[in-house]
Amino acid sequence: MNNPPANTGNEGYDFIIKVIQYLENSFKIHFFITPKDFDVLYHWYEKRIPLRVIEESIVAVVERWTQKNKKISSFSNFYYQVKKDFETFLQLQVGAESKSRLTDSMAGDRENENVFEYEYTAWENFFNNFPGDLAALKEDFERIFQQVKNKEKVEAVPVYEKLVDLFKEDETLKLKVAIFYRNLAPELRKPEIENRYRLNYLRSKYNIPDFED
């Protein structure tokens, strides 16, 4: 495995933080995150392992270890399960691709249309239950929704900056960030990681559609 470079980028940090937050939010499991843990997470990102595969692997390991009264203390504890589940996923993908060769040329168009319908539905659900806490940003989110409907490139960064700034004095978020930072090895405590943690926490809390994936 390779240590994540200094220019990991927001996409890489988002992936890593989503895995950390999934473990925290789903199982209330916290532990000190070392460079080795970060190395494991970055390896999964490099391999382009889908988050749902990792989440299913985490569930399997947590259930198995709980039954044995064993404590999860590192992301290395999930490494072999993720490796096995990803290999199974790839085998299924190969099988699906082989079958797709027997279908007509419209298959790719239908897949793209399904992705668009999924994004569109996610945004409709978001607006149907629009969080009152985000009222100051409603016009910004409406603009993004219009970009989604027009199948245009979504300009997310300005809205993300406003979102984080809106909650800069939120005590719950401050506490969450403090706990997260305390559980990071000193060499991993970078401003960009903290910022992405804040953003992903808010996106998860308010069910903001993940249109960038």
Side-chain angles (χ1 to χ4, degrees), residues 44-56:
W44 293 344
Y45 167 70
E46 278 191 316
K47 297 287 286 185
R48 300 294 180 186
I49 302 178
L51 280 169
R52 64 182 178 86
V53 172
I54 295 173
E55 290 171 358
E56 289 170 1

Side-chain angles (χ1 to χ4, degrees), residues 18-30 55 58-59 62:
K18 283 177 182 177
V19 177
I20 294 172
Q21 289 180 328
Y22 178 78
L23 188 62
E24 292 177 350
N25 297 336
S26 299
F27 301 102
K28 310 301 180 188
I29 293 177
H30 304 264
E55 290 171 358
I58 287 175
V59 170
V62 170

Side-chain angles (χ1 to χ4, degrees), residues 4 12 33-35 44 48 53 55 71 88 93-94 110 123 126 128 136 153 160 162 164 166 175 196 211:
I33 298 173
T34 66
W44 293 344
R48 300 294 180 186
V53 172
E55 290 171 358
K71 184 178 179 181
T88 300
Q93 287 292 102
V94 170
R110 286 199 300 270
W123 275 101
F126 174 65
N128 288 338
K153 180 180 179 181
Y160 284 167
K162 289 181 181 180
V164 171
L166 185 63
L175 179 60
R196 299 312 289 189
F211 45 78

Side-chain angles (χ1 to χ4, degrees), residues 43-159:
H43 175 70
W44 293 344
Y45 167 70
E46 278 191 316
K47 297 287 286 185
R48 300 294 180 186
I49 302 178
L51 280 169
R52 64 182 178 86
V53 172
I54 295 173
E55 290 171 358
E56 289 170 1
S57 301
I58 287 175
V59 170
V61 172
V62 170
E63 289 180 350
R64 187 165 64 244
W65 282 43
T66 298
Q67 291 174 356
K68 296 179 180 180
N69 293 319
K70 294 174 65 177
K71 184 178 179 181
I72 300 292
S73 59
S74 169
F75 280 103
S76 296
N77 300 149
F78 303 106
Y79 182 78
Y80 291 106
Q81 185 71 44
V82 170
K83 183 175 184 292
K84 183 178 73 172
D85 291 345
F86 185 48
E87 289 173 352
T88 300
F89 170 80
L90 291 178
Q91 290 170 3
L92 292 173
Q93 287 292 102
V94 170
E97 288 174 4
S98 296
K99 289 181 180 179
S100 71
R101 295 191 186 100
L102 301 176
T103 63
D104 58 41
S105 61
M106 296 296 292
D109 293 335
R110 286 199 300 270
E111 182 179 353
N112 290 336
E113 189 63 27
N114 287 338
V115 171
F116 173 72
E117 287 297 329
Y118 175 81
E119 293 175 342
Y120 190 92
T121 300
W123 275 101
E124 282 194 321
N125 291 337
F126 174 65
F127 278 105
N128 288 338
N129 302 279
F130 194 83
D133 290 349
L134 305 184
L137 302 178
K138 190 169 185 179
E139 289 186 4
D140 294 284
F141 284 117
E142 287 174 342
R143 175 179 53 79
I144 288 178
F145 188 28
Q146 190 62 48
Q147 292 172 341
V148 171
K149 287 192 288 187
N150 295 339
K151 299 184 181 180
E152 300 172 352
K153 180 180 179 181
V154 176
E155 299 175 1
V157 174
V159 184

